[in-house]
């Protein structure tokens, strides 16, 4: 979720950010373009519809948070850790769960159904959000949430971008390949 906030922060408050690092988070303009042009991306983004549904809190609670568990990866909850216990405990608090879902409910780019009409797709406007600081994009190629189409034409919006791909990681690149991420970050910031 942090990347979805970091992109517009860097775009609209450029004096605050001298370098930007993004880990598997689609640029808002590229994401919107992808949901217009890629049925694969629309399919991968359908989880958002489930999270913004009016009955999402009840559904998630009644299914023991299966959707959220699947989003974080099957193996994450197989071995019980203090972090996984904390997540389950927090999700069980109605006010915490609603706050988390409200994040998705406030997203400006709502996702249409996979096989929506051309008319609906034509009505989607791609925002023009530009990032002018040096940006490092780290990407796990096995991402279940994003099709690589979300990276199409990113250089138009982020001309100073450096893209690094890890073919063996998913959306949770920072958890799965922390040493690789650390090395790329250190190289980028120049330590």
């Amino acid at each position: 979720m942090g990347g979805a906030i970091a992109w517009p922060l860097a775009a609209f408050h450029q004096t605050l950010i001298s370098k930007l690092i993004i880990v598997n988070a689609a640029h808002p303009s590229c994401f919107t373009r992808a949901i217009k042009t890629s049925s694969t991306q629309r399919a991968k983004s359908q989880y958002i519809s489930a999270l913004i549904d009016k009955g999402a809190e009840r559904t998630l609670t009644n299914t023991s948070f299966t959707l959220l568990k699947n989003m974080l990866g099957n193996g994450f909850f197989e071995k019980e850790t203090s972090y996984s216990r904390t997540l389950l405990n927090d999700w069980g608090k109605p006010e915490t769960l609603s706050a988390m879902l409200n994040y998705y409910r406030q997203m400006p780019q709502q996702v249409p159904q996979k096989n929506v009409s051309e008319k609906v797709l034509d009505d989607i406007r791609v925002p023009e959000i530009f990032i002018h600081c040096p940006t490092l994009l780290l990407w796990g190629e096995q991402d279940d949430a994003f099709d690589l189409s979300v990276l199409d034409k990113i250089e138009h919006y982020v001309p100073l971008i450096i893209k690094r791909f890890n073919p063996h990681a998913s959306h949770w690149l920072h958890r799965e390949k922390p040493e690789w991420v650390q090395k790329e970050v250190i190289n980028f910031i120049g330590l």
Side-chain angles (χ1 to χ4, degrees):
M1 289 192 214
I5 295 169
W7 285 119
L9 179 67
F12 302 127
H13 301 282
Q14 295 181 31
T15 59
L16 299 177
I17 312 266
S18 60
K19 288 185 174 183
L20 178 64
I21 300 171
I22 299 288
V23 179
N24 276 75
H27 182 282
S29 302
C30 296
F31 178 71
T32 304
R33 183 184 315 282
I35 63 172
K36 279 185 71 137
T37 61
S38 171
S39 62
T40 302
Q41 184 55 56
R42 288 192 299 277
K44 287 186 170 213
S45 297
Q46 289 308 302
Y47 72 93
I48 296 171
S49 298
L51 294 177
I52 65 173
D53 185 78
K54 289 181 181 178
E57 287 89 346
R58 184 180 62 253
T59 301
L60 290 169
T61 301
N62 290 345
T63 60
S64 301
F65 310 106
T66 299
L67 174 61
L68 298 177
K69 289 176 184 175
N70 290 341
M71 288 172 61
L72 290 175
N74 295 332
F76 186 72
F77 289 92
E78 287 174 5
K79 50 185 176 208
E80 189 174 313
T81 65
S82 64
Y83 183 54
S84 64
R85 283 190 302 274
T86 298
L87 285 177
L88 290 171
N89 183 56
D90 288 349
W91 295 343
K93 298 174 186 170
E95 65 281 357
T96 302
L97 184 60
S98 290
M100 183 178 74
L101 297 177
N102 284 338
Y103 172 87
Y104 286 95
R105 291 173 176 145
Q106 296 305 313
M107 287 176 57
Q109 305 101 341
Q110 295 303 319
V111 178
Q113 295 298 312
K114 179 181 175 185
N115 296 315
V116 70
S117 73
E118 287 299 318
K119 166 75 171 104
V120 170
L121 294 175
D122 288 342
D123 288 343
I124 296 173
R125 296 290 161 242
V126 176
E128 294 287 317
I129 299 174
F130 295 95
I131 312 289
H132 298 289
C133 65
T135 301
L136 174 64
L137 176 68
L138 301 177
W139 202 268
E141 293 183 32
Q142 302 302 315
D143 196 320
D144 288 334
F146 294 118
D147 181 58
L148 285 176
S149 66
V150 299
L151 301 179
D152 290 350
K153 301 182 181 176
I154 194 167
E155 292 84 0
H156 172 73
Y157 299 104
V158 192
L160 300 176
I161 194 163
I162 298 168
K163 297 182 285 189
R164 299 283 188 254
F165 296 92
N166 190 301
H168 308 292
S170 74
H171 186 77
W172 308 107
L173 177 62
H174 59 288
R175 276 196 344 240
E176 296 166 1
K177 301 292 181 185
E179 296 84 11
W180 183 84
V181 170
Q182 177 185 21
K183 177 181 168 240
E184 293 292 339
V185 167
I186 289 170
N187 289 341
F188 180 68
I189 59 177
L191 288 180

